[in-house]
């Protein structure tokens, strides 16, 4: 898929003022700082679209980005940021859950994990949540540029074991060097435009 157009549409802090429009949505989920906003920038080829930071806790709202006037990429706040104030953490958790429970057009969640580390307990809970509510998800092991090929080979089985997924269900990705970008775009295309022929 070629991303021709991408634009920020809206931030939501509570469910209710959602623009909807019936267009399909793909949402980014993962702990703070794992690279959710960077993944959106990587997908769209626009490094300035979603705000990123080396400090966790950058994305604090549900942010909707309209792609090719056809579907939304949805950036969510992260979880598991230990130093965030308790109230703030609860607010982010409510936003994530509110979005996941209420979006009628959510086609798939990208569950991001850092390829360098075993998934956390929060990651496991998140995956259990997605399974419980029957929300289709794909595990994206990101920051792949930080590991050698051999190291990646060793970390994928750890991710699979911890989250209970198969190796072929894990997409390796790097927002820095574009590893895995095309495969993720193909996956998105399959979800959001199932009737349109693939562009070569
Ligand atoms: N090397 C490398 N750095 C990455 C990659 N993806 C993200 N980063 C860096 O990781 C940091 C966090 O990235 P964000 O995209 O802001 O992470 P986030 O998950 O949106 O974080 P919150 O909004 O705080 O939940 C930034 O410094 C990014 O530059 C990657 O694939 N490779
Ligand atoms: Mg973010």
């Amino acid at each position: 898929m070629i991303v021709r157009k991408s634009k920020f549409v809206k931030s939501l802090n509570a469910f209710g003022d959602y623009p909807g429009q019936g267009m399909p949505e793909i949402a980014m989920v993962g702990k703070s700082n794992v690279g959710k906003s960077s993944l959106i920038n990587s997908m769209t080829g626009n490094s300035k679209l979603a705000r990123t930071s080396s400090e966790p806790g950058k994305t604090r709202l549900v942010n909707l980005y309209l792609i090719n006037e056809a579907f939304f990429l949805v950036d969510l706040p992260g979880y598991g940021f230990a130093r965030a104030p308790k109230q703030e953490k609860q607010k982010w958790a409510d936003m994530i859950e509110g979005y996941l429970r209420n979006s009628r057009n959510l086609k798939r969640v990208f569950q991001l994990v850092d390829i360098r580390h075993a998934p956390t307990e929060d990651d496991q809970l998140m995956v259990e949540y997605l399974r419980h509510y029957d929300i289709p998800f794909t595990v994206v092991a990101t920051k792949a540029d930080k590991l050698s090929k051999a190291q990646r080979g060793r970390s994928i089985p750890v991710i699979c074991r911890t989250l209970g997924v198969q190796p072929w269900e894990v997409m390796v990705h790097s927002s820095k060097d574009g590893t895995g970008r095309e495969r993720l775009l193909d996956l998105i295309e399959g979800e959001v435009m199932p009737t349109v022929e693939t562009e070569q």
Side-chain angles (χ1 to χ4, degrees):
M1 178 175 63
I2 296 168
V3 175
R4 290 187 201 82
K5 218 168 162 184
S6 55
K7 69 171 183 191
F8 167 75
V9 174
K10 200 173 167 82
S11 290
L12 315 174
N13 60 12
F15 218 80
D17 53 351
Y18 178 63
Q21 301 170 16
M23 286 194 235
E25 294 159 20
I26 307 278
M28 311 300 140
V29 163
K31 62 182 184 173
S32 295
N33 207 240
V34 71
K36 300 176 294 297
S37 304
S38 301
L39 178 60
I40 289 187
N41 291 345
S42 160
M43 292 296 99
T44 57
N46 180 352
S47 62
K48 297 205 170 79
L49 190 62
R51 293 218 189 105
T52 66
S53 168
S54 55
E55 295 291 317
K58 181 70 179 172
T59 309
R60 290 164 179 241
L61 297 166
V62 176
N63 291 324
L64 287 109
Y65 298 92
L66 181 60
I67 312 301
N68 292 351
E69 311 274 2
F71 66 95
F72 288 104
L73 291 179
V74 181
D75 198 8
L76 292 168
Y79 52 72
F81 175 27
R83 281 180 293 116
K86 206 173 162 195
Q87 256 189 333
E88 194 76 355
K89 275 195 285 199
Q90 190 55 49
K91 226 167 66 184
W92 298 345
D94 290 346
M95 261 188 265
I96 298 166
E97 187 170 352
Y99 169 76
L100 293 175
R101 290 289 295 279
N102 293 304
S103 170
R104 278 187 229 109
N105 302 304
L106 179 60
K107 297 297 176 203
R108 182 165 291 270
V109 161
F110 284 174
Q111 169 69 54
L112 274 70
V113 294
D114 189 320
I115 197 165
R116 294 169 297 174
H117 310 296
T120 64
E121 219 168 285
D122 287 328
D123 293 329
Q124 293 177 50
L125 285 172
M126 193 69 234
V127 164
E128 272 173 38
Y129 179 94
L130 296 170
R131 286 204 178 102
H132 179 79
Y133 286 104
D134 255 338
I135 301 171
F137 68 92
T138 295
V139 175
V140 178
T142 195
K143 306 201 182 183
D145 57 280
K146 296 207 182 234
L147 291 187
S148 68
K149 278 231 166 77
Q151 288 170 318
R152 287 181 204 174
R154 284 193 291 274
S155 72
I156 299 301
V158 177
I159 292 170
C160 289
R161 261 200 313 277
T162 317
L163 298 179
V165 294
Q166 299 299 327
W168 56 87
E169 294 177 297
V170 178
M171 308 285 259
V172 172
H173 176 262
S174 163
S175 293
K176 204 163 187 185
D177 65 17
T179 299
R181 180 175 182 270
E182 292 303 321
R183 281 185 68 205
L184 281 176
L185 283 171
D186 287 349
L187 179 63
I188 293 172
E189 181 170 40
E191 291 292 354
V192 302
M193 299 171 194
T195 54
V196 175
E197 294 227 332
T198 310
E199 206 165 309
Q200 295 295 331

